[in-house]
Amino acid sequence: MDPSEVDVPPLKDLTIDNITDNVKLINSKCPNPRLKYILERVVQHLHDFARETRLSHDEWMTGLLFLTSVGQICTDVRQEFILLSDILGLSLLVDSIDHPKPPQSTEGTVLGPFHSHEAQVEPNGAQISHDPDGEPCLVLCDIKDMSGKPVEGVKIDIWETDSKGFYDVQYPGREGPDQRAVMHSDKEGVFWFKAIVPVPYPIPSDGPVGKLLKQLKRHCYRPSHMHFMFEKLGYDHLITALYLRGDPYETSDAVFGVKESLIIDLGTVSSEQAQKHGVKAGSKLIGYNFVLVTEEQSRELREQNAMKAMKAQGRTMKLWNGLPVPDLD
Amino acid sequence: MDPSEVDVPPLKDLTIDNITDNVKLINSKCPNPRLKYILERVVQHLHDFARETRLSHDEWMTGLLFLTSVGQICTDVRQEFILLSDILGLSLLVDSIDHPKPPQSTEGTVLGPFHSHEAQVEPNGAQISHDPDGEPCLVLCDIKDMSGKPVEGVKIDIWETDSKGFYDVQYPGREGPDQRAVMHSDKEGVFWFKAIVPVPYPIPSDGPVGKLLKQLKRHCYRPSHMHFMFEKLGYDHLITALYLRGDPYETSDAVFGVKESLIIDLGTVSSEQAQKHGVKAGSKLIGYNFVLVTEEQSRELREQNAMKAMKAQGRTMKLWNGLPVPDLD
């Protein structure tokens, strides 16, 4: 770069008190107003954090090495940064902000680090878990919109652990995906499959996030649950999960994902259901009626909430691609 | 873990408004008061950041994947998280907080990502750069304490780039360390060596940090400088650098490291110096009188500044191992 092209205010002799404004200034030439705003807030919070803690050089280095190890343990099938975000409550917070749910619609929750793109497309009725030690469980669900109309052709991603509490991707020697599937709702909005009863399990604790939890004297368990992700053009992307009532970790989920509306009672398959779905009467049953909101409904609510929050924070903002940026006009 | 050991307040149905206090609560059992305070501030700032930006799920994922790539490009000789901290001004800020300098002592600046532990111990007078294209430069320095007394036996770590602006560790095929050395000050506090005139250079821009700088429309250059690190029992660890006056990037350093007191005029070796030090008269010369503060002086100033800052922020704190934690008594 030609030094003559350097076009920033002179920066020198920066101190604890003036560095923040100067870093913001040098970043302020960013042509993307959203990235510019995000960086402005990142710099402010990072610097405030250092000033409020009087962060030492050793702590700074410990922090950077911690983040490095979080990055380095990540693989195609392990996302430790999502896990870190999960245990700090950031994941649930972001889901709540980005996917606000009107009353009566199904609430969202954390994605978690174990969604994969390996799941096979399966027809209704498929057996998606092949763990012989798992307790068989019929899952019978349907999907409606806010007006009560069934929604057909929704792509549903489902994933759960095996009976030992591990996802398929946690086995180095695994031969292919298991305990996960992609399905589609039928004309009545119905989708159903054969799985196993979810069990509580520890999030991976052999990495830097596990070590952090130990230092914080927190346990690393999640209550029994099954993950669901719903996608259909025109509908708000829904990432959620169903939790079993009475789980010992129901009120202390390591990643803060439990919501009352997503807790279900484990049921029992009736003779009629058994015959219709080809499973044993008396075996376990999970049933749920999911309610999707349209993209339009979600967008309106999200933008309304955003502008209300910005006003409450005393910020003069406008929306840019649906997200707030400073209104400088 | 036995569920009966779970000893946290019931957490369920967390929302945008109550999640922060609940995450702090579950972290509050941390027995280390400093880690507890640091985590408390991390959670507050992370969550405030998400609420202030109304962070979207896509942006959250982009951010996590960015941090993952920063971690994954790190090696034994490349530290991209330090680089990220550098270009966000955090590194300079932390150095300013942790190593306050009384007037008359030598100021500190950023460590940068290229310090290595490979440097050889060299005697006074050593040739530490072997780049035939570099412009030879004699470096003549001494070290005194605040009372003007020479400090003997200080371990000095020195590193600079070659004439092309690259550190040795940036060459995959390098045979060993070059342009770096560890030396010790003599009885008069003097250390001297033969090096090359520093040149401006770009920080590594082929990784995620370089991409970020591009998006922010910032250049990635550092003005010409030579790194120094000073260590002696009883003295405050000093990480600093000398900058050449008139460098085209003098007032736009990509990592905010330049301080007026660290800018030097490149001098010329006199006949007397040439004879004494075995170099050509008229060749380039860098001279500097470093002034170290004692650990005691630095600690006192740091603790004083910390308590003053905490008071100004309205926090009731006490010192714990020299660092502030909430005073709950």
Side-chain angles (χ1 to χ4, degrees):
Chain A
M1 184 180 182
D2 183 338
S4 68
E5 288 174 33
V6 173
D7 167 32
V8 293
L11 300 174
K12 205 159 50 176
D13 286 318
L14 298 185
T15 67
I16 296 175
D17 298 318
N18 71 14
I19 189 165
T20 307
D21 284 343
N22 278 289
V23 175
K24 285 183 187 176
L25 198 61
I26 208 170
N27 284 343
S28 67
K29 296 186 309 169
C30 176
N32 178 318
R34 181 68 181 164
L35 180 61
K36 180 169 146 180
Y37 179 54
I38 285 181
L39 256 286
E40 196 263 332
R41 299 318 301 158
V42 164
V43 168
Q44 184 71 54
H45 283 293
L46 256 184
H47 289 198
D48 282 348
F49 166 70
R51 278 185 289 253
E52 287 168 9
T53 57
R54 305 297 294 184
L55 196 68
S56 77
H57 188 272
D58 286 352
E59 290 170 335
W60 168 80
M61 188 61 99
T62 301
L64 296 186
L65 293 179
F66 172 78
L67 293 174
T68 304
S69 66
V70 170
Q72 298 214 324
I73 209 170
C74 290
T75 65
D76 285 354
V77 293
R78 176 170 190 166
Q79 229 309 342
E80 193 89 354
F81 266 113
I82 292 186
L83 199 64
L84 180 59
S85 165
D86 288 353
I87 66 128
L88 295 178
L90 180 65
S91 307
L92 188 78
L93 176 57
V94 168
D95 184 73
S96 307
I97 289 171
D98 204 33
H99 295 283
K101 302 296 178 203
Q104 276 88 52
S105 67
T106 303
E107 290 191 272
T109 186
V110 292
L111 170 68
F114 289 116
H115 176 254
S116 91
H117 294 279
E118 292 180 343
Q120 304 289 314
V121 175
E122 302 280 0
N124 256 340
Q127 180 80 44
I128 74 160
S129 169
H130 302 89
D131 178 358
D133 298 328
E135 188 178 3
C137 181
L138 177 66
V139 183
L140 279 181
C141 301
D142 68 8
I143 310 173
K144 294 201 163 77
D145 66 15
M146 289 283 285
S147 71
K149 231 183 90 205
V151 189
E152 186 188 355
V154 178
K155 179 186 164 197
I156 309 132
D157 225 311
I158 303 139
W159 65 110
E160 65 165 338
T161 69
D162 66 11
S163 63
K164 291 174 196 70
F166 294 107
Y167 290 94
D168 54 359
V169 293
Q170 294 181 274
Y171 290 100
R174 83 212 147 87
E175 283 166 13
D178 200 5
Q179 284 91 234
R180 59 178 83 230
V182 169
M183 309 190 69
H184 294 87
S185 57
D186 69 13
K187 257 186 283 188
E188 277 76 45
V190 169
F191 67 99
W192 66 280
F193 54 93
K194 297 163 196 159
I196 60 174
V197 176
V199 295
Y201 65 86
I203 57 174
S205 60
D206 59 334
V209 170
K211 273 180 215 146
L212 177 62
L213 284 178
K214 234 169 255 153
Q215 285 190 287
L216 294 173
K217 300 275 175 212
R218 280 173 55 179
H219 76 71
C220 57
Y221 279 78
R222 296 215 64 201
S224 318
H225 64 279
M226 189 179 282
H227 290 277
F228 295 87
M229 189 154 80
F230 299 86
E231 228 175 323
K232 181 176 173 167
L233 203 69
Y235 289 86
D236 189 47
H237 193 85
L238 172 63
I239 296 168
T240 193
L242 298 177
Y243 297 88
L244 299 190
R245 193 180 311 283
D247 187 282
Y249 302 103
E250 183 179 317
T251 59
S252 69
D253 182 2
V255 306
F256 313 106
V258 183
K259 294 180 179 179
E260 190 56 42
S261 71
L262 301 173
I263 300 179
I264 53 149
D265 292 295
L266 195 60
T268 307
V269 172
S270 67
S271 320
E272 198 189 337
Q273 286 169 325
Q275 200 165 9
K276 183 168 173 197
H277 296 290
V279 299
K280 273 192 202 150
S283 59
K284 298 296 190 233
L285 175 72
I286 286 177
Y288 201 79
N289 308 108
F290 292 96
V291 179
L292 297 188
V293 297
T294 62
E295 253 183 2
E296 184 68 12
Q297 288 165 333
S298 179
R299 192 182 56 76
E300 268 175 26
L301 194 53
R302 180 171 51 244
E303 294 184 358
Q304 235 172 56
N305 290 351
M307 291 311 280
K308 213 187 290 174
M310 292 297 103
K311 205 177 163 190
Q313 290 171 25
R315 295 173 200 282
T316 310
M317 310 291 275
K318 62 183 177 189
L319 292 172
W320 185 82
N321 291 341
L323 293 165
V325 297
D327 187 358
L328 304 171
D329 302 334
Chain B
M1 183 179 182
D2 182 339
S4 68
E5 290 174 31
V6 173
D7 167 31
V8 291
L11 300 175
K12 206 161 48 178
D13 286 318
L14 299 185
T15 66
I16 296 175
D17 298 317
N18 71 13
I19 190 165
T20 307
D21 284 344
N22 278 289
V23 176
K24 285 183 186 177
L25 199 61
I26 208 169
N27 284 343
S28 67
K29 297 187 309 170
C30 176
N32 177 320
R34 180 67 183 166
L35 180 62
K36 181 170 146 180
Y37 178 53
I38 285 181
L39 256 287
E40 196 263 332
R41 298 318 299 157
V42 164
V43 168
Q44 184 71 54
H45 283 293
L46 256 184
H47 289 199
D48 282 348
F49 166 70
R51 278 185 290 254
E52 288 168 7
T53 56
R54 307 296 293 184
L55 197 67
S56 77
H57 188 273
D58 286 351
E59 291 170 335
W60 168 81
M61 188 60 100
T62 301
L64 295 185
L65 293 179
F66 172 78
L67 293 174
T68 304
S69 66
V70 171
Q72 298 214 324
I73 209 171
C74 290
T75 66
D76 285 355
V77 292
R78 177 170 188 165
Q79 229 309 342
E80 193 88 353
F81 266 113
I82 292 187
L83 199 63
L84 180 59
S85 165
D86 289 352
I87 66 127
L88 294 178
L90 180 65
S91 307
L92 188 78
L93 176 58
V94 168
D95 183 74
S96 307
I97 290 171
D98 204 34
H99 296 283
K101 302 297 178 202
Q104 276 89 53
S105 67
T106 302
E107 291 191 272
T109 186
V110 292
L111 170 67
F114 288 116
H115 176 254
S116 92
H117 294 280
E118 292 180 344
Q120 304 288 313
V121 176
E122 301 281 0
N124 256 339
Q127 178 81 44
I128 74 160
S129 169
H130 302 88
D131 178 357
D133 297 329
E135 186 178 3
C137 180
L138 177 67
V139 184
L140 280 182
C141 301
D142 68 8
I143 310 174
K144 295 199 163 78
D145 66 15
M146 288 283 284
S147 70
K149 232 183 90 206
V151 190
E152 185 189 356
V154 179
K155 181 186 163 198
I156 309 132
D157 227 310
I158 303 138
W159 64 109
E160 65 166 338
T161 69
D162 66 11
S163 62
K164 291 176 196 67
F166 293 108
Y167 290 95
D168 54 0
V169 294
Q170 293 181 276
Y171 290 99
R174 83 211 146 88
E175 284 168 11
D178 199 4
Q179 284 89 238
R180 57 178 83 232
V182 169
M183 309 189 70
H184 293 86
S185 57
D186 69 15
K187 257 185 284 186
E188 277 77 44
V190 169
F191 67 98
W192 66 280
F193 55 92
K194 297 164 197 159
I196 60 172
V197 175
V199 296
Y201 64 87
I203 56 173
S205 60
D206 58 334
V209 170
K211 271 180 217 145
L212 178 62
L213 283 179
K214 234 170 256 155
Q215 285 190 286
L216 294 174
K217 300 277 176 210
R218 280 173 54 179
H219 76 71
C220 57
Y221 279 78
R222 294 215 65 201
S224 319
H225 63 280
M226 188 179 284
H227 289 278
F228 295 87
M229 188 153 80
F230 299 86
E231 229 176 324
K232 181 177 173 166
L233 203 69
Y235 289 86
D236 189 45
H237 194 87
L238 171 63
I239 296 168
T240 191
L242 297 178
Y243 297 87
L244 300 190
R245 191 178 313 281
D247 188 281
Y249 303 103
E250 183 180 317
T251 58
S252 69
D253 183 1
V255 306
F256 312 106
V258 183
K259 294 179 179 181
E260 190 54 42
S261 71
L262 300 173
I263 300 179
I264 51 147
D265 292 295
L266 195 60
T268 307
V269 173
S270 67
S271 320
E272 200 189 338
Q273 287 169 325
Q275 199 165 12
K276 185 170 173 193
H277 296 290
V279 298
K280 273 193 203 152
S283 59
K284 297 297 189 230
L285 174 72
I286 286 177
Y288 202 79
N289 308 109
F290 292 96
V291 178
L292 297 188
V293 296
T294 63
E295 253 182 1
E296 184 69 13
Q297 287 165 334
S298 178
R299 191 182 56 73
E300 269 176 26
L301 193 54
R302 179 171 53 245
E303 294 184 1
Q304 236 172 55
N305 290 351
M307 291 312 279
K308 212 187 290 175
M310 293 297 103
K311 206 178 162 189
Q313 289 170 25
R315 297 174 197 280
T316 310
M317 311 291 276
K318 61 182 177 189
L319 292 171
W320 186 83
N321 291 342
L323 293 165
V325 297
D327 188 358
L328 304 170
D329 301 334

